[in-house]
Amino acid sequence: MKPPNLFFSILLTGMNAAVRAVVRMGIYVGAKVYFIHEGYQGMVDGGDNIKEATWESVSSMLQVGGTVIGSARCKEFRTHEGRLKAAHNLVQRGITNLCVIGGDGSLTGANLFREEWSGLLNELLEQGLINEEAVSSNSVLHIVGMVGSIDNDFCGTDMTIGTDSALHRIIEVVDAIMTTAQSHQRTFVLEVMGRHCGYLALVSALACGADWVFIPEMPPDDGWEDNMCQKLSENRADKKRLNIIIVAEGAIDSHNKAITPDCIKDLVVRCLGFDTRVTILGHVQRGGTPSAFDRILGSRMGVEAVLALLEASTDTPACVVSLVGNQAVRLPLMECVQMTQEVQKAMDEKKFDEAVRLRGRSFENNLSTYRLLSYHKLDSELPNSSFNVAVLNVGAPAAGMNAAVRSAVRVGITEGHKMFAVNDGFEGFAKGQIKEIKWGDVGGWTGQGGSLLGTKRTLPAKRLAKIAEQMRIHNINALLVIGGFEAYVGLLELSSARDEYPEFCVPMVMVPATVSNNIPGSDLSIGSDTALNAITDTCDRIKQSASGTKRRVFIIETMGGYCGYLATVGGLAAGADTVYIYEEAFDIRDLQVRNVIKAKHIHIDRSNCNENFTTDFIYQLYSEEGRGVFDCRKNILGHMQQVRRKCDFSSSRCALGS
């Protein structure tokens, strides 16, 4: 790795969390960082469009949507002459490292610029615009890309910057629509963005439990009109008061004919006579405050991009920073671009299964999950099974628990199993609060917060005999527990008692669902993303409130018990100045009040972060030390972190883990 004090510069064109991370990481390692406003157009035009960035210039950027440095399509950059101007502007400032945030077109243009770099320098030398020394000192151009696209249509990454925020906007609209649709027994047809990729439509349909979804990668078979109308009619006969149909703007049928919201509305009205409305979301999906997940993703990718530039050598190819699983990784840029282009080629040739495969694991899993959870088979079509599965929630409520129960129930029924719901956790299990649960019983559960089954923290150790008796009475052959650390400990207690109670010698599975995200073996627990969004929302509002005041410090206490996940990642997403957690020891010297003279300072600590240095202590310390300089405010978020926030990363994807 190059020494951190080595001078180099970075070009930025992209989204705010990633921009902020690149600037601050670049400055941290001793780099000189530049903003280039208005994207490639600013690079071609030069002048005041290229400005040096400072640590303070990216303050208060995390909560701002879009990109504060601007972005623009540039026809001139597509020409050789335009790229020559851009090269001249960069050489004048010694910029030889580019961090580009955009789609496959922007990244492809950056790679072409890199390939032409030596030739462009020679042309500038021949024209007398630069000298030999400039050619020598700027001989190599390094490029690292990050993908910013709400469509999530770039191969090689599970998620692109901006996608999760767009999903939030969609589900917010769906939630608002559901209230009026249920009152009037209406059918709503929603068009979401996705001209060439159906990710937004697919995942939003999964997150809200839509009745039908149309995406470019999965054209419906001939006769889909009758099948859809039959399903809508059956749902209405089952006393479901609303129907939701989601359409990607690029949806087509098997004959490559466009499927539009208006044609779907006309079909439903003509065949069923249902009161039907069309809503086209449009650019609403691109705006608004970024979600916690997007802020964290952009921050992590920005840091990894700077590290990639530090480690680049003369022959290092251009790379793109991607998200694979829960890790930021570097992949060859042009390989990912070529694979992305192969998707469109496969779709043009009507090889839709191949297109889905090329989209990647995340897209495939979401599609298969939607199919499993949405298409109810007749009893005569189900496989024969005498397997009985009990499902229960244990621990504190967490957003997404109900979606996980719905997923488990419907997948179990699809496999022919008999599913039993247990109310009130292990305590209800011991009391015999068990009943069979059917496909329709879990309809509409994806959007419900809390736990509809009821959940308690009670452990089973004192009720083992009664729980074993209930498992014997109902012939329970498997146990699925959805919950937090109490669920984890509870299953350990049941498995430890197998020698004494043979009823416990059955498969037992736990799905982590806790805002604290403190379950061993899991990167992300159901509900933790909702809590992070609650924390970032609160911090955003505090910053807005503090903008009219001077010199104010806010102390915010988050949930988490002895786990610092919420405080740490919430602090990252909210842009907190300091985070205090149990896992990282601190003493009174770390609490010294130094130079706190700006408004909107935010310090986050977690409940139980320290036995003596509590939230109240820190608040009182800052209040006393800040007299005459700043004042202090305290916020304890409490159970607001368990409240569902429209759409969250865990609830829209928790079905995959069930």
Side-chain angles (χ1 to χ4, degrees):
M1 181 182 290
K2 297 176 183 178
N5 60 348
L6 182 68
F7 176 89
F8 71 93
S9 307
I10 303 172
L11 170 143
L12 294 171
T13 167
M15 315 318 168
N16 296 326
V19 168
R20 174 181 179 272
V22 172
V23 169
R24 292 197 167 177
M25 185 64 181
I27 293 172
Y28 176 77
V29 299
K32 194 173 184 180
V33 187
Y34 287 92
F35 284 147
I36 294 193
H37 295 270
E38 310 307 330
Y40 287 132
Q41 188 65 57
M43 186 161 63
V44 172
D45 294 341
D48 290 338
N49 289 304
I50 305 178
K51 294 181 179 179
E52 186 175 349
T54 64
W55 188 277
E56 290 75 19
S57 64
V58 292
S59 296
S60 302
M61 285 178 61
L62 279 172
Q63 70 271 24
V64 180
T67 167
V68 297
I69 61 174
S71 179
R73 299 184 187 277
C74 180
K75 292 183 179 179
E76 194 173 358
F77 188 75
R78 298 178 183 178
T79 67
H80 183 79
E81 292 75 14
R83 293 191 291 275
L84 188 65
K85 291 181 182 178
H88 186 216
N89 288 325
L90 297 188
V91 170
Q92 285 182 316
R93 295 164 177 82
I95 297 176
T96 56
N97 296 272
L98 309 184
C99 181
V100 182
I101 312 168
D104 59 338
S106 299
L107 299 179
T108 301
N111 189 66
L112 175 62
F113 190 46
R114 171 183 174 273
E115 292 174 346
E116 294 181 343
W117 184 254
S118 295
L120 294 172
L121 294 188
N122 290 331
E123 284 189 53
L124 292 172
L125 178 63
E126 291 173 1
Q127 295 176 14
L129 297 174
I130 60 175
N131 55 31
E132 291 281 359
E133 183 181 352
V135 173
S136 176
S137 59
N138 297 278
S139 60
V140 180
L141 180 68
H142 297 299
I143 288 179
V144 172
M146 288 180 276
V147 188
S149 166
I150 69 167
D151 292 329
N152 200 31
D153 56 354
F154 192 83
C155 292
T157 183
D158 289 341
M159 186 71 80
T160 56
I161 299 170
T163 302
D164 190 70
S165 297
L167 288 171
H168 277 255
R169 303 292 90 77
I170 295 169
I171 300 304
E172 285 169 357
V173 171
V174 171
D175 284 350
I177 281 174
M178 280 184 172
T179 56
T180 181
Q182 287 177 331
S183 301
H184 298 281
Q185 286 191 312
R186 283 178 176 156
T187 296
F188 271 86
V189 184
L190 274 73
E191 182 186 272
V192 303
M193 284 186 167
R195 190 171 302 160
H196 303 292
C197 179
Y199 184 88
L200 283 181
L202 175 61
V203 177
S204 59
L206 180 61
C208 71
D211 298 274
W212 207 272
V213 64
F214 295 93
I215 61 174
E217 296 88 347
M218 187 181 66
D221 297 328
D222 291 342
W224 64 268
E225 296 92 342
D226 293 336
N227 292 334
M228 185 187 73
C229 289
Q230 181 181 354
K231 181 178 180 181
L232 297 179
S233 180
E234 289 173 354
N235 287 343
R236 194 61 64 90
D238 288 338
K239 297 184 179 180
K240 184 175 181 181
R241 297 184 61 84
L242 78 155
N243 302 109
I244 300 291
I245 301 168
I246 296 182
V247 188
E249 60 181 336
I252 55 173
D253 63 16
S254 56
H255 303 288
N256 214 34
K257 180 182 176 182
I259 298 177
T260 66
D262 287 331
C263 79
I264 294 172
K265 174 188 173 182
D266 294 342
L267 173 67
V268 173
V269 172
R270 184 176 69 252
C271 297
L272 300 176
F274 290 173
D275 187 4
T276 306
R277 298 287 190 272
V278 171
T279 300
I280 298 176
L281 271 64
H283 283 75
V284 168
Q285 297 156 87
R286 293 191 181 276
T289 302
S291 67
F293 179 83
D294 270 333
R295 301 183 197 194
I296 297 162
L297 179 64
S299 298
R300 292 177 60 190
M301 285 187 169
V303 170
E304 187 66 26
V306 174
L307 293 176
L309 290 172
L310 279 170
E311 297 170 6
S313 60
T314 305
D315 56 352
T316 300
C319 72
V320 60
V321 178
S322 301
L323 183 72
V324 177
N326 196 36
Q327 301 297 318
V329 300
R330 307 169 200 170
L331 298 176
L333 171 60
M334 290 315 296
E335 286 185 18
C336 294
V337 169
Q338 289 165 8
M339 192 180 300
T340 303
Q341 294 170 348
E342 286 294 319
V343 175
Q344 190 58 50
K345 181 180 177 182
M347 291 176 64
D348 292 340
E349 296 174 355
K350 297 187 177 182
K351 298 178 180 178
F352 297 108
D353 290 339
E354 177 69 7
V356 169
R357 186 189 66 79
L358 289 169
R359 284 283 185 219
R361 181 187 60 183
S362 176
F363 193 96
E364 280 188 288
N365 289 344
N366 281 309
L367 181 56
S368 62
T369 302
Y370 179 80
R371 285 170 169 164
L372 276 173
L373 302 182
S374 301
Y375 300 106
H376 182 28
K377 296 180 181 179
L378 300 174
D379 291 342
S380 58
E381 298 175 325
L382 296 175
N384 293 322
S385 171
S386 58
F387 207 66
N388 296 340
V389 183
V391 183
L392 66 156
N393 295 151
V394 176
M401 273 185 166
N402 297 320
V405 172
R406 171 183 179 268
S407 172
V409 168
R410 291 196 167 182
V411 170
I413 292 173
T414 300
E415 295 297 320
H417 308 321
K418 186 178 286 187
M419 305 299 295
F420 289 86
V422 181
N423 298 113
D424 297 334
F426 288 121
E427 188 174 320
F429 208 156
K431 294 177 180 178
Q433 296 174 229
I434 307 170
K435 64 178 181 179
E436 186 177 356
I437 188 167
K438 300 288 188 179
W439 182 280
D441 295 336
V442 293
W445 279 33
T446 54
Q448 299 294 320
S451 169
L452 294 176
L453 291 183
T455 181
K456 292 190 175 182
R457 296 178 181 269
T458 309
L459 294 174
K462 297 180 181 180
R463 299 172 174 81
L464 293 175
K466 291 183 178 180
I467 293 174
E469 181 184 359
Q470 292 299 326
M471 291 185 70
R472 186 169 59 253
I473 291 172
H474 293 90
N475 190 28
I476 301 299
N477 307 115
L479 198 60
L480 174 62
V481 182
I482 302 167
F485 204 78
E486 293 84 358
Y488 179 82
V489 175
L491 281 191
L492 288 177
E493 291 180 354
L494 292 182
S495 61
S496 298
R498 281 174 168 170
D499 291 340
E500 185 177 356
Y501 300 100
E503 291 83 2
F504 299 151
C505 296
V506 298
M508 298 181 186
V509 175
M510 177 199 171
V511 176
T514 167
V515 300
S516 301
N517 198 32
N518 61 347
I519 304 301
S522 177
D523 286 342
L524 187 65
S525 298
I526 294 169
S528 58
D529 188 65
T530 296
L532 288 174
N533 279 307
I535 293 167
T536 54
D537 278 353
T538 300
C539 290
D540 288 350
R541 294 177 185 181
I542 283 173
K543 289 179 180 179
Q544 188 176 32
S545 170
S547 63
T549 63
K550 293 182 179 180
R551 299 176 181 174
R552 180 166 288 176
V553 173
F554 288 87
I555 311 295
I556 299 173
E557 179 184 289
T558 70
M559 280 184 163
Y562 291 98
C563 177
Y565 177 84
L566 281 184
T568 302
V569 184
L572 176 63
D577 297 276
T578 309
V579 174
Y580 303 111
I581 60 174
Y582 180 78
E583 296 89 340
E584 190 173 59
F586 60 94
D587 57 31
I588 193 67
R589 289 170 295 182
D590 298 308
L591 298 176
Q592 288 181 355
V593 183
R594 302 186 188 97
N595 301 322
V596 182
I597 58 173
K598 294 186 295 182
K600 300 179 288 185
H601 268 250
I602 293 178
H603 296 251
I604 293 181
D605 79 277
R606 181 185 39 75
S607 57
N608 301 326
C609 67
N610 186 284
E611 182 180 358
N612 296 306
F613 298 150
T614 62
T615 301
D616 286 335
F617 175 85
I618 296 173
Y619 166 70
Q620 292 167 5
L621 173 66
Y622 272 76
S623 296
E624 178 63 28
E625 293 296 314
R627 284 188 180 183
V629 181
F630 61 86
D631 58 0
C632 190
R633 295 290 185 273
K634 176 178 64 175
N635 293 78
I636 298 177
L637 302 186
H639 286 76
M640 284 300 296
Q641 295 158 89
Q642 294 177 340
V643 177
R644 176 177 166 271
R645 182 192 183 272
K646 306 300 181 184
C647 168
D648 87 1
F649 180 84
S650 53
S651 67
S652 63
R653 296 160 181 80
C654 64
L656 303 179
S658 301

